[in-house]
Amino acid sequence: QVQLVESGGGVVQPGRSLRLSCAASGFTFSGFAIHWVRQAPGKGLEWVAVISYDGINKYYADSVKGRFIISRDNSKNTLYLQMDSLRAEDTAVYYCARDSRLYAIYDYGMDVWGQGTTVTVSS
Amino acid sequence: QSALTQPASVSGSPGQSITISCTGTSSDVGVYNYVSWYQQHPGKAPKLMIYEVSNRPSGVSNRFSGSKSGNTASLTISGLQAEDEADYYCSSYTSSSSRVFGGGTKLTVL
């Protein structure tokens, strides 16, 4: 079935790095833009980044710009989020989510979500 | 990239209708028809309920509807049911090609 599975979360000290992965299955991964969305404990959803279906276009939230890098390997059906210079405020559940439309240029809603992976930034 | 503005909470009785507002700016909601709504139950991943302001994905009840006027989008749930109790978030495409979520609205079914 159509599925996204995140991994790579954990506990990390401030200033250190972590790389999250999101493995896709059940659909043509290379045809869909994919987002990272996070949710701090007890807080709302925060959009983090998006990468186009072909990996060419990448956009970031101001809160992570210059520290996080989104990338994808369509040959491995996998999305990544490289997180550097981590801060306490980056502590959250990180979800990957698929845009609902094939070869989307704009935003047609995120129709498939993973279960999330937890990142805790603490000394 | 300021968050879209939603009421913190709304409530209604079973069978009633409620509306959740989502106010943005002329750089997001006001200029694009790329507004989505998500439902999130505790401990679960969000679920897409509405996309492109008023479109429902397959499988979403027609009790859920969306609209937009100016800088404000709205989600209406008619015939409230106990299972509708959840957090609801709006999101919008922006002029910088980023996305922005609302702060979320907790719906209580009385």
Side-chain angles (χ1 to χ4, degrees), chain A residues 2 4 27 32-35 96-102 107-114, chain B residues 36 38 46-49 51 57-58:
Chain A
V2 175
L4 294 171
F27 66 98
F32 291 87
I34 309 287
H35 303 259
C96 56
R98 185 188 82 168
D99 194 285
S100 67
R101 186 163 297 183
L102 198 60
D107 187 327
Y108 304 96
M110 303 171 206
D111 67 338
V112 178
W113 293 68
Chain B
S36 301
Y38 300 88
K47 175 185 177 183
L48 179 64
M49 305 303 285
Y51 66 96
S58 173

Side-chain angles (χ1 to χ4, degrees), chain B:
Chain B
Q1 289 182 348
S2 298
L4 307 176
T5 300
Q6 298 181 231
S9 63
V10 298
S11 62
S13 299
Q16 288 186 330
S17 295
I18 63 95
T19 296
I20 299 172
S21 62
C22 169
T23 301
T25 70
S26 56
S27 295
D28 39 64
V29 175
V31 72
Y32 297 105
N33 288 325
Y34 298 117
V35 176
S36 301
W37 289 90
Y38 300 88
Q39 176 192 66
Q40 186 180 35
H41 288 107
K44 301 294 187 181
K47 175 185 177 183
L48 179 64
M49 305 303 285
I50 296 286
Y51 66 96
E52 288 185 271
V53 175
S54 60
N55 294 320
R56 275 188 313 275
S58 173
V60 172
S61 171
N62 59 9
R63 298 185 298 106
F64 292 82
S65 62
S67 62
K68 191 187 87 167
S69 178
N71 292 344
T72 299
S74 298
L75 172 71
T76 297
I77 309 174
S78 59
L80 267 181
Q81 299 179 0
E83 69 214 48
D84 299 332
E85 185 163 294
D87 293 325
Y88 291 84
Y89 297 90
C90 60
S91 75
S92 177
Y93 182 86
T94 80
S95 58
S96 59
S97 299
S98 65
R99 313 306 194 258
V100 61
F101 279 99
T105 298
K106 181 177 179 61
L107 169 62
T108 301
V109 180
L110 302 170

Side-chain angles (χ1 to χ4, degrees), chain A residues 7-13 15-21 67-69 80-86 94 117-121:
Chain A
S7 61
V11 180
V12 61
Q13 293 179 328
R16 303 297 292 264
S17 299
L18 203 61
R19 189 177 82 156
L20 305 183
S21 299
R67 299 188 300 123
F68 290 12
I69 297 175
Y80 303 101
L81 185 67
Q82 177 66 40
M83 304 186 296
D84 298 327
S85 303
L86 282 162
Y94 284 72
T117 187
T118 300
V119 173
T120 303
V121 183

